Amino acid sequence: MTERLSRRKFLGWSSVLGCSAAASPLMTPVSLASAPGDRRLIVIILRGGMDGIDVLRPWGDRAFAEMRPNLAKEQNNALQITDFHGVHAGLKHLLPLWQAGDLGFVQATSTPYRDKRSHFDGQDILEAGTVDLAPLGRRTGWLNRLLPYLPGAVERTAFAIGREDMLLLTGDASVSNWSPEVDLTLSSQGMRLLELMMQSDPDMGAAMAQAIALAGSDGDSVTFDMSEQGMMDEMMADAQEARKGKTHLKIADFAAEQLRGESRIASFSISGWDTHANQQRALNAPLSRLSETILRIKQELGKKVWDKTTILCMTEFGRTVRENGTKGTDHGTGGTMIMAGGAVRGGRVFGGWPGLADSELYQGRDLMPTSDVRAWAAWAMHDSFGVPQSALESGVFGGLDMGASPGLLL
């Protein structure tokens, strides 16, 4: 296992060498792991509790419009995808994927988390893949626990350049982390000085070489033959790009570049789904970011790799069926998982529909979950990497019953 380069150590070196750190409003580390085979798996955590029945609208359920007099008052036939379902207008740019069979949904699904409705606990349970946090005290993620079951998996040098690791890929197996919040710039003279300094310490030199290669893989050059002012202008341009809210596209570009190479698993998060008020307007921005991210990944992967790719978009919980007094929704239970990729058996909605009548709701207020979101993730991993069902049920998810195969992937 290679030495882990901590963010503190890296930034310490950076300050000596004149590196820059540009803050981003959407800071998220990207975690990657390599594995054998051609299949790729991307897991996107949608932080904030996405309203699944606003994203995948059950227009065929009579109670939907009754429960949501504002949010469900309009039905756009152009957005209808089945006899029963439509989608939010924020996903309209993904409809060609649906028609091509590269987009699908799982309705009324949830983690085992119930009742307390805390974002923090909900996200931890989602990423840990456990029934709850207290008894197991598990602080590793299910994607990390998957890696030992992939024969021949290569543990790449691990970097922590950015904020904290995602729990989802945290654990004993080494993975690589990258974040768009940190950029590295050096003059040619500075680069030469760095190379001379590292000649006497091959291990540190190798680690720094990898850090420089990683920093340059986001499209920005690491070295600049320009004035100090020119370098400052370049840094300001990076910061302005982050303020424009386009960080998700840099993340998509970086993830796609790695997945075209040796990496096979990637994970990152998209925030902004907590819509307690003015949901009709508030949901547009995160849905737009998600759509742009998926389409950018598809574009950058190219058809050959896209056809081997599965994207799972998961959130910590759903939201209340009834809209509240501020035209939003509050923390709930059953939600929706979005799937995309050429490997997905798309153009369909998976999972059972429980109904929205009062007697059919969880605690009289939430969509009743009809499936465990961990089982869908487990089948995606089984179909992607051939991991035995017994290993997924015991070693990765600890006691999960995956049930029969839903035929999630092609």
Side-chain angles (χ1 to χ4, degrees):
M1 182 183 297
T2 53
E3 181 186 2
R4 189 173 184 82
L5 179 61
S6 71
R7 178 175 184 262
R8 181 184 298 276
K9 183 183 294 183
F10 180 81
L11 292 179
W13 290 350
S14 299
S15 63
V16 172
L17 297 167
C19 305
S20 63
S24 164
L26 271 178
M27 294 186 296
T28 173
V30 181
S31 299
L32 302 121
S34 56
D38 290 333
R39 294 282 186 146
R40 276 77 168 173
L41 178 64
I42 304 173
V43 179
I44 304 176
I45 301 297
L46 308 177
R47 299 192 187 283
M50 181 184 75
D51 184 0
I53 59 175
D54 204 358
V55 171
L56 179 66
R57 299 178 170 187
W59 282 333
D61 193 311
R62 183 181 304 174
F64 180 55
E66 297 172 1
M67 295 284 195
R68 299 187 163 199
N70 294 292
L71 293 173
K73 66 181 180 182
E74 295 179 355
Q75 180 172 332
N76 184 343
N77 292 335
L79 300 173
Q80 186 149 4
I81 58 172
T82 73
D83 291 340
F84 188 84
H85 304 93
V87 296
H88 191 284
L91 292 183
K92 64 182 178 183
H93 295 301
L94 294 185
L95 288 182
L97 297 187
W98 171 268
Q99 292 152 3
D102 289 354
L103 179 72
F105 300 89
V106 178
Q107 63 185 354
T109 191
S110 173
T111 71
Y113 184 58
R114 299 289 186 272
D115 304 337
K116 294 183 180 179
R117 306 175 191 276
S118 160
H119 288 299
F120 302 106
D121 289 348
Q123 289 173 21
D124 277 355
I125 288 174
L126 173 63
E127 295 187 56
T130 52
V131 174
D132 53 40
L133 292 176
L136 294 177
R138 189 174 250 171
R139 300 302 300 172
T140 62
W142 49 267
L143 263 184
N144 191 283
R145 296 197 296 273
L146 167 72
L147 297 179
Y149 294 99
L150 304 182
V154 178
E155 296 178 344
R156 295 179 55 189
T157 303
F159 292 93
I161 308 173
R163 215 172 48 171
E164 74 279 3
D165 294 338
M166 289 185 70
L167 176 58
L168 185 63
L169 258 169
T170 297
D172 294 334
S174 292
V175 300
S176 298
N177 291 336
W178 173 87
S179 172
E181 67 175 316
V182 173
D183 203 359
L184 173 64
T185 55
L186 290 169
S187 67
S188 295
Q189 292 88 342
M191 179 67 82
R192 178 58 182 156
L193 176 60
L194 177 63
E195 291 171 351
L196 291 173
M197 290 171 58
M198 295 302 159
Q199 283 181 353
S200 61
D201 192 335
D203 290 340
M204 183 172 289
M208 181 55 77
Q210 289 171 318
I212 290 172
L214 197 60
S217 64
D218 63 353
D220 292 343
S221 175
V222 172
T223 57
F224 288 86
D225 289 316
M226 61 174 61
S227 65
E228 184 176 346
Q229 183 58 50
M231 188 178 293
M232 291 300 296
D233 291 344
E234 189 71 24
M235 292 161 53
M236 290 299 295
D238 280 350
Q240 289 173 356
E241 191 68 18
R243 284 196 291 273
K244 290 177 184 175
K246 297 300 182 183
T247 304
H248 60 291
L249 296 182
K250 294 191 73 172
I251 293 170
D253 288 346
F254 181 81
E257 181 177 349
Q258 305 310 309
L259 291 167
R260 286 198 309 268
E262 65 177 302
S263 294
R264 293 293 179 268
I265 297 172
S267 182
F268 54 90
S269 63
I270 295 178
S271 302
W273 305 91
D274 198 13
T275 52
H276 289 282
N278 299 316
Q279 181 169 304
Q280 196 169 31
R281 181 168 57 86
L283 206 51
N284 285 326
L287 283 174
S288 176
R289 285 196 294 273
L290 177 62
S291 298
E292 290 177 352
T293 299
I294 291 172
L295 293 175
R296 189 64 161 254
I297 288 173
K298 179 178 185 293
Q299 172 189 307
E300 295 301 313
L301 286 179
K303 186 178 187 311
K304 182 178 179 181
V305 178
W306 173 256
D307 286 345
K308 302 291 185 182
T309 298
T310 299
I311 303 175
L312 304 180
C313 308
M314 313 167 78
T315 190
E316 65 262 34
F317 45 59
R319 308 191 73 85
T320 50
V321 171
R322 296 178 181 84
E323 64 182 55
N324 61 29
T326 55
K327 299 180 181 178
T329 55
D330 300 318
H331 300 176
T333 307
T336 296
M337 185 173 81
I338 303 172
M339 303 178 296
V344 171
R345 195 181 300 276
R348 65 188 67 188
V349 175
F350 293 87
W353 181 247
L356 295 178
D358 282 337
S359 61
E360 296 166 330
L361 301 182
Y362 178 75
Q363 292 189 342
R365 53 171 280 172
D366 299 341
L367 181 66
M368 181 72 75
T370 59
S371 67
D372 189 325
V373 72
R374 300 175 301 163
W376 301 102
W379 280 113
M381 293 191 290
H382 175 276
D383 294 349
S384 294
F385 305 118
V387 179
Q389 183 172 345
S390 58
L392 292 163
E393 290 181 331
S394 58
V396 177
F397 286 111
L400 173 70
D401 181 0
M402 293 168 60
S405 171
L408 208 58
L409 305 188
L410 294 170

